[in-house]
Amino acid sequence: MEAVSRTAQWTAAARALETEREDRLFADPYARTVADRIGFELLERYAGAGTVPFLAIRTTYLDRAVVKAVEERGIRQVVFLAAGMDTRFFRLPWPDGVTVYELDRPALLDAKAAMLADEPLPAGRTRVTVPVDLTQDWTGPLKEAGWKSDEPVLWVVEGLLFFLPEQAVRTLISTLSAHAAPGSVLLGDVISRAALDNPLSRPFLNALKEDGNPWLFGTEEPEALLADCGWDVREVRQPGEEGADFGRWPYQVPARTVPRVPRSFLFTCDLPNAPGTTREEQAA
């Protein structure tokens, strides 16, 4: 697989460790399989900077937000961008009729399919993998795979935005709002710019860069970024804050007004469209 794809196995290894705790926040019985040996090697290589507790918190936050969105909004198409070694299709309690689309590079999807080949597919739901390069056109292949832009969609952008340059981030988030119907939801995470400049994080960031996975983007104002790209921000949470702690975050959370603090943000957004139209239709 490409170097950037191996980070998916790193995060899978962290999910495996959380799953094996007696006080686990979630159970991912597939995580150790898809992490494979390389995932645990990377987990050791990238140790520090609160990465393991953060990954447990991020997974838990997004698990709960995904379940809430499909239950309360009635959304029946869910798209994971840069899905990596995510196994939510297998392990979350999806309502009948949900279609889960997983977008990622072809080599990663092929490797994941081989790893999970013996796992039975849960009944009542459909999984569609879409091999794409997210830096190129991906909406066309997604539509060809069956996704409907005139129906509400749940977009999940987990562990992706910090690998992209700023213009690519803005283009991607704007594309998500432009290709969504009323009732759609966006979930994801992003880091602060200070997280890229923090001297204490330099060994971690240098290791990522050496492995071909440099972090490129951060913002101190995720609310403004998301709003500029067409979304209504329902909430932004830092690990350790209410709604994004779950008893795992070991550090204090400085106020947002404190400058130069490395931060991670988890967000939930809604689409501010007039009823009955997509943003594509409004722009026509």
Side-chain angles (χ1 to χ4, degrees):
M1 291 186 292
E2 297 91 339
V4 70
S5 300
R6 290 200 296 271
T7 61
Q9 292 178 282
W10 162 46
T11 57
R15 294 199 307 274
L17 293 185
E18 180 65 29
T19 296
E20 292 160 8
R21 291 177 58 135
E22 290 187 1
D23 61 344
R24 59 181 174 266
L25 295 172
F26 55 83
D28 185 348
Y30 314 96
R32 187 166 282 274
T33 297
V34 297
D36 205 8
R37 174 183 54 82
I38 185 64
F40 290 93
E41 290 176 356
L42 291 175
L43 195 64
E44 183 175 346
R45 177 167 169 75
Y46 300 152
T51 53
V52 171
F54 168 71
L55 292 171
I57 289 171
R58 184 177 74 182
T59 299
T60 304
Y61 176 90
L62 293 176
D63 278 2
R64 298 182 183 186
V66 166
V67 170
K68 183 176 181 180
V70 296
E71 288 183 348
E72 295 185 358
R73 301 294 186 96
I75 296 174
R76 290 299 179 266
Q77 48 182 3
V78 181
V79 180
F80 290 94
L81 293 103
M85 294 298 173
D86 182 89
T87 62
R88 290 187 175 95
F89 170 79
F90 295 91
R91 64 182 182 83
L92 289 188
W94 299 102
D96 287 349
V98 165
T99 299
V100 174
Y101 297 91
E102 296 185 7
L103 279 62
D104 215 312
R105 295 175 181 266
L108 185 146
L109 293 176
D110 288 345
K112 184 176 179 180
M115 291 174 177
L116 297 174
D118 295 331
E119 298 295 338
L121 296 178
R125 66 192 76 164
T126 302
R127 175 173 174 253
V128 180
T129 58
V130 185
V132 293
D133 182 341
L134 289 171
T135 63
Q136 302 176 11
D137 173 56
W138 54 267
T139 57
L142 182 58
K143 288 180 179 179
E144 292 174 3
W147 168 74
K148 299 177 177 62
S149 62
D150 59 347
E151 296 180 7
V153 59
L154 171 58
W155 302 114
V156 183
V157 186
E158 179 183 20
L160 171 62
L161 299 182
F162 29 77
F163 289 110
L164 304 176
E166 180 172 356
Q167 188 54 55
V169 169
R170 291 184 175 275
T171 298
L172 177 63
I173 301 174
S174 298
T175 299
L176 297 178
S177 63
H179 290 77
S184 295
V185 175
L186 169 65
L187 304 173
D189 68 307
V190 69
I191 60 173
S192 66
R193 182 69 202 178
L196 300 176
D197 300 329
N198 180 25
L200 296 178
S201 299
R202 195 159 294 145
F204 166 69
L205 295 172
N206 286 343
L208 284 168
K209 185 176 181 179
E210 290 169 5
D211 292 348
N213 313 312
W215 281 7
L216 302 174
F217 174 75
T219 177
E220 313 302 331
E221 300 180 340
E223 294 90 348
L225 168 71
L226 294 161
D228 288 347
C229 295
W231 292 94
D232 277 347
V233 179
R234 195 189 315 169
E235 67 175 27
V236 172
R237 297 279 185 266
Q238 296 181 81
E241 293 181 334
E242 182 178 359
D245 184 0
F246 314 117
R248 285 290 182 272
W249 194 243
Y251 311 110
Q252 291 186 334
V253 184
R256 291 279 296 273
T257 54
V258 179
R260 295 184 295 279
V261 174
R263 305 178 192 272
S264 297
F265 303 105
L266 301 162
F267 57 79
T268 299
C269 302
D270 300 307
L271 193 70
N273 283 358
T277 59
T278 66
R279 291 176 63 86
E280 287 177 299
E281 291 170 339
Q282 288 180 349

